[in-house]
Amino acid sequence: MTGSPPSEQPKVRPHVVLQPRQAPPPTSQLGVFGYSGPGPAWWFTSCHGGAGTSTVADIVRGGMASGQYWPVPDPPGYASVVLVARGHAGGLRAAQAAARQWAGGGLPTVRVVGLVVVADAPGRRPKPLRELLHLISGAFPRVWELPWVEALRLGDPPDQIQLPPAFSELAADLQRIVTGGTHV
């Protein structure tokens, strides 16, 4: 896709880790890790386990996965974060909780760029889940929806798959927003 190859990723030195129960209120499933050194252009942060964050980070170059942790840089830096959630009810509720946690003001050096919703099944999202996504989407500057890709589920390497355009659109948007000067 776009961005730097993995060998050119910045060296991030974590130094403080807070588990979710110790993170700033309101609570979500996300903890906090402080770091020094130059971070990536953006971080992909999982709203919950199994969100697909590592896969998205492998496909959309330029960022790094931070697991279920808010990456908080030493001042005067800031971190651009893209939250990632599955499109099922639990995933969308976890994204909503993460948005509340961020909006609570306890993470002043974190800038949420948007939410990536990874399809949890092939086909169209059921109406109740479309409505829930519509409700929570107001908490994010941008929402990207990535469709189901059976080949990824089966473990095929992303660089050997013809991915749907949504993946390259996400990569282009992030490059434009985070490194190109478009503000969210």
Side-chain angles (χ1 to χ4, degrees):
M1 289 280 158
T2 60
S4 344
S7 62
E8 296 177 21
Q9 290 295 327
K11 301 292 184 206
V12 176
R13 294 178 301 282
H15 55 77
V16 176
V17 176
L18 297 176
Q19 298 302 319
R21 67 186 176 284
Q22 300 167 317
T27 60
S28 78
Q29 296 179 35
L30 302 182
V32 173
F33 80 84
Y35 69 92
S36 58
W42 60 82
W43 294 90
F44 289 108
T45 299
S46 298
C47 293
H48 56 90
T53 306
S54 298
T55 301
V56 172
D58 285 346
I59 294 170
V60 180
R61 302 299 171 115
M64 289 176 68
S66 65
Q68 287 181 252
Y69 291 91
W70 293 105
V72 177
D74 287 341
Y78 73 93
S80 293
V81 171
V82 179
L83 292 166
V84 181
R86 286 282 177 184
H88 52 60
L92 296 176
R93 285 190 204 106
Q96 186 177 37
R100 282 189 190 122
Q101 186 181 25
W102 176 76
L107 302 161
T109 59
V110 173
R111 178 179 83 159
V112 172
V113 175
L115 171 68
V116 171
V117 179
V118 180
D120 65 312
R124 188 171 173 182
R125 184 175 286 116
K127 184 178 180 184
L129 297 178
R130 287 194 313 268
E131 290 172 349
L132 179 57
L133 177 56
H134 178 73
L135 174 71
I136 69 167
S137 67
F140 300 96
R142 284 222 178 17
V143 175
W144 296 274
E145 295 184 58
L146 297 179
W148 180 263
V149 179
E150 186 68 20
L152 291 174
R153 181 181 191 214
L154 297 174
D156 293 352
D159 60 349
Q160 297 177 14
I161 299 171
Q162 179 68 35
L163 292 167
F167 288 86
S168 58
E169 291 165 6
L170 170 61
D173 282 352
L174 288 174
Q175 284 294 328
R176 188 173 43 256
I177 292 167
V178 177
T179 62
T182 302
H183 298 287
V184 290

